[in-house]
Amino acid sequence: MKKKLIKIAQWKMLTITMVVLMFFQFVAFAQNENTIDPCLDKKGDDYMNRQTTAFIAEIKKTITDLPPQYPLPRERYLGLLLIDAVLHDVHAAQRPAVQKFFHAQIMKAVNDIETTTVEEGAKIWQLYNHGFIVRTKSITIAFDMVTGESAMSDGFTLSNEVMCRLIDQCDALFISHRHRDHKDIWVAQQFLNQNKPVVAPPQVWEDQPIHDKITHLKREAHSIQKLPLENKGISIDVVIYPGHQMSSHENNVSLIISPEGISFAQMGDQINEGDFMIDYDWIDKVSEHHKVDILMPPCWTNEIHRIVKGFDPKLVIPGHENELGHTVDDRVPFWDDSEYLELTYPELKASDYPVVLMTWGESYHYRPLK
Ligand SMILES: [Zn+2]
């Protein structure tokens, strides 16, 4: 009997303990539901918001005082490293200060593009991820223009209104490949609605009606093709290099030659590795066929130095830094993390090639040497 009472008491204790534990678990869960980072309590998460706001204030001041330039001043480099730090918070895209910064930077670019005419060379604006707008005296070309929805945060994604203002300024859109951080079907449709060509490899939207409306230029190394810009009444010279992101993804590397003779190439997610190295057959020889003023490679491609040597451009503007849709290790930072994919980025930065680093909404005016 005594033994039985002890057992009942033990059961009661166990039940009470479990109820208490469940209560605390519930409280903890309820707290985490109210935080951006579910691993932090409210105080910790509020701290992260305050720190992000403080860091971004310093970033804005630094990159305003020291816009994109070559050589890279140390203070601007430190500003870019602070961007890396802010954007390697797993939940960066959900933080209000990051969203505000992103939107303000893109709006700055929108206002700038709407009021800029280029008399000489080319002006290049970096948008989200590997998105660029390049304007010369006679044409404005968009590459991999997206809304930022790949960051998977509604408050981060750019509005249709902002995108329309960018699209209105451009004469054509080039999409490198089918990954969501490089293409957006709504954006492509707006270009088509304005009778502006959208050029992409066949794999992009291959099972959707829009596929018939996309311009599929030949993926052929070194060959110049004419692309009519009907809204301008001119044609531009284009080379679509038959690139790949590894063996499974067709990736157009587009070289545009403007009517003024300014040439610029955007490389999408170009990467070959291991047994699959076929693209170096043409990459190593681009400069034997074409003069390249500006090259926009992905910052994370392993052989970036070899690729740059193949194109031998006058200016390199890497893109794709800190893609927030990627895991933290794969948000390739401005400090280049050369251990990742065995990047040869340090060799490129140590070389004589001018490399200009830019973040969201920033721009650089390239003027060819006379
Ligand atoms: Zn990508």
Side-chain angles (χ1 to χ4, degrees):
M1 187 67 183
K2 214 177 179 182
K3 260 189 183 171
K4 202 176 176 185
L5 278 174
I6 290 169
K7 262 199 172 163
I8 289 169
Q10 280 176 337
W11 272 110
K12 272 188 180 165
M13 279 299 290
L14 195 65
T15 312
I16 290 166
T17 311
M18 278 175 66
V19 168
V20 169
L21 277 175
M22 278 167 70
F23 174 74
F24 278 116
Q25 247 182 355
F26 172 75
V27 169
F29 182 70
Q31 271 182 351
N32 288 350
E33 260 203 334
N34 292 325
T35 60
I36 291 170
D37 183 342
C39 295
L40 295 175
D41 63 13
K42 186 78 171 72
K43 279 184 175 175
D45 205 59
D46 285 349
Y47 170 82
M48 284 304 291
N49 279 331
R50 291 197 301 279
Q51 177 172 277
T52 306
T53 304
F55 282 9
I56 286 178
E58 291 302 320
I59 289 165
K60 276 163 74 176
K61 190 172 176 334
T62 309
I63 65 174
T64 305
D65 290 349
L66 295 164
Q69 57 195 280
Y70 177 83
L72 176 61
R74 178 158 175 78
E75 194 181 337
R76 178 173 162 83
Y77 181 55
L78 295 178
L80 296 176
L81 296 197
L82 208 48
I83 294 177
D84 290 335
V86 166
L87 299 185
H88 279 72
D89 167 4
V90 183
H91 304 281
Q94 280 83 43
R95 301 244 171 246
V98 172
Q99 297 171 356
K100 211 170 140 197
F101 173 61
F102 174 51
H103 295 167
Q105 287 293 113
I106 296 298
M107 277 317 294
K108 197 161 79 76
V110 169
N111 292 324
D112 198 21
I113 295 166
E114 286 178 342
T115 53
T116 297
T117 51
V118 175
E119 292 300 325
E120 185 198 8
K123 191 158 178 184
I124 308 103
W125 288 268
Q126 184 153 2
L127 305 174
Y128 182 68
N129 192 37
H130 209 29
F132 291 94
I133 289 178
V134 181
R135 173 170 287 169
T136 68
K137 189 174 173 123
S138 63
I139 57 169
T140 305
I141 304 296
F143 296 96
D144 287 353
M145 187 193 274
V146 291
T147 61
E149 66 79 37
S150 57
M152 290 178 285
S153 164
D154 289 344
F156 184 83
T157 305
L158 296 169
S159 69
N160 290 354
E161 189 194 345
V162 170
M163 296 310 293
C164 279
R165 286 178 66 181
L166 288 171
I167 293 161
D168 285 349
Q169 291 298 314
C170 300
D171 302 319
L173 170 65
F174 286 78
I175 297 170
S176 61
H177 68 296
R178 62 184 171 184
H179 285 152
R180 70 188 284 189
D181 51 338
H182 295 260
K183 69 157 187 359
D184 184 298
I185 198 162
W186 183 87
V187 170
Q189 190 59 57
Q190 303 315 304
F191 273 86
L192 296 171
N193 292 351
Q194 294 186 18
N195 202 26
K196 297 170 178 175
V198 176
V199 181
Q203 276 180 351
V204 176
W205 299 307
E206 58 190 341
D207 53 357
Q208 297 192 48
I210 198 173
H211 193 261
D212 295 342
K213 305 279 185 285
I214 304 292
T215 304
H216 300 113
L217 295 177
K218 266 186 289 174
R219 289 167 37 82
E220 195 172 271
H222 314 306
S223 304
I224 290 181
Q225 303 174 66
K226 293 276 180 199
L227 178 71
L229 303 179
E230 283 174 28
N231 67 326
K232 287 251 150 144
I234 57 170
S235 290
I236 53 170
D237 290 345
V238 177
V239 180
I240 302 293
Y241 282 98
H244 297 86
Q245 182 176 8
M246 306 312 298
S247 54
S248 53
H249 301 296
E250 294 168 346
N251 179 77
N252 279 4
V253 172
S254 304
L255 172 68
I256 317 297
I257 303 163
S258 82
E260 304 79 30
I262 302 291
S263 50
F264 43 97
Q266 193 263 21
M267 302 195 71
D269 277 357
Q270 176 62 39
I271 185 169
N272 279 186
E273 200 177 36
D275 296 337
F276 185 78
M277 297 289 271
I278 60 169
D279 294 338
Y280 285 99
D281 289 353
W282 54 264
I283 286 174
D284 290 337
K285 296 194 178 77
V286 173
S287 69
E288 293 171 23
H289 298 262
H290 299 288
K291 173 208 75 161
V292 178
D293 288 296
I294 308 152
L295 181 67
M296 293 161 277
C299 66
W300 52 261
T301 196
N302 53 357
E303 293 271 22
I304 193 167
H305 190 213
R306 178 175 176 181
I307 288 171
V308 169
K309 282 192 278 188
F311 281 73
D312 197 26
K314 306 282 187 292
L315 170 67
V316 184
I317 301 182
H320 216 304
E321 295 90 356
N322 292 309
E323 159 53 31
L324 297 175
H326 288 180
T327 52
V328 165
D329 65 300
D330 200 20
R331 293 179 191 175
V332 179
F334 288 107
W335 64 268
D336 70 41
D337 189 20
S338 57
E339 274 182 52
Y340 180 66
L341 292 174
E342 297 176 0
L343 306 182
T344 57
Y345 209 166
E347 286 91 318
L348 171 63
K349 283 182 177 172
S351 75
D352 290 335
Y353 286 106
V355 177
V356 170
L357 300 178
M358 299 204 286
T359 189
W360 302 327
E362 288 195 305
S363 62
Y364 184 80
H365 193 164
Y366 164 79
R367 292 177 176 85
L369 290 172
K370 297 238 163 72

